[in-house]
Amino acid sequence: KIMVKHIILWTLKSDLSDKEKENVKKDIKDGLERLKGKIPGLVDIKVISSRRLSSSTADFMLDSTFENEEALRFYSKHPAHVAVADSKVRPFTSARSCLDFEI
């Protein structure tokens, strides 16, 4: 069965202190990972925010899997996802890269 991966890389705003960055990453991880089981079609979701090597050019990553492309579109507009994105992600990030692909 073909599924869809949704990968996001974010860079945090540079004016955040190291302590603020750690708190923001924890809040984002908690908020996004709590969406599992709440949004139909979302198979798996995890945020990688620790053990980052110095060669990295992003601060953290979302790795999520969906049943299909329609499920990804549904997730993107789902109120629970929008609430996390609007309150925990967008105010604290300066750059976002996305890669969606079939697996």
Side-chain angles (χ1 to χ4, degrees), residues 20-63:
E20 288 171 321
K21 286 181 179 181
E22 289 310 309
N23 289 337
V24 165
K25 287 191 288 187
K26 182 186 179 311
D27 286 348
I28 290 170
K29 180 176 178 65
D30 291 346
L32 288 173
E33 290 182 353
R34 279 195 194 123
L35 296 176
K36 188 171 182 180
K38 294 181 179 173
I39 300 177
L42 174 59
V43 175
D44 192 33
I45 187 166
K46 56 186 168 267
V47 174
I48 291 82
S49 61
S50 61
R51 301 175 59 117
R52 183 176 156 283
L53 300 180
S54 61
S55 55
S56 300
T57 59
D59 290 309
F60 61 107
M61 178 182 92
L62 169 70
D63 179 357

Side-chain angles (χ1 to χ4, degrees), residues 2-90:
I2 295 175
M3 301 219 296
V4 170
K5 287 296 260 183
H6 174 62
I7 307 292
I8 304 287
L9 296 175
W10 285 287
T11 302
L12 292 167
K13 290 184 176 178
S14 60
D15 60 347
L16 296 172
S17 70
D18 288 344
K19 179 69 175 163
E20 288 171 321
K21 286 181 179 181
E22 289 310 309
N23 289 337
V24 165
K25 287 191 288 187
K26 182 186 179 311
D27 286 348
I28 290 170
K29 180 176 178 65
D30 291 346
L32 288 173
E33 290 182 353
R34 279 195 194 123
L35 296 176
K36 188 171 182 180
K38 294 181 179 173
I39 300 177
L42 174 59
V43 175
D44 192 33
I45 187 166
K46 56 186 168 267
V47 174
I48 291 82
S49 61
S50 61
R51 301 175 59 117
R52 183 176 156 283
L53 300 180
S54 61
S55 55
S56 300
T57 59
D59 290 309
F60 61 107
M61 178 182 92
L62 169 70
D63 179 357
S64 52
T65 307
F66 294 85
E67 290 177 356
N68 51 45
E69 194 173 349
E70 182 180 332
L72 173 57
R73 283 193 298 272
F74 181 77
Y75 161 85
S76 72
K77 296 174 184 162
H78 192 280
H81 167 255
V82 171
V84 173
D86 285 349
S87 67
K88 298 181 183 299
V89 181
R90 292 185 182 114

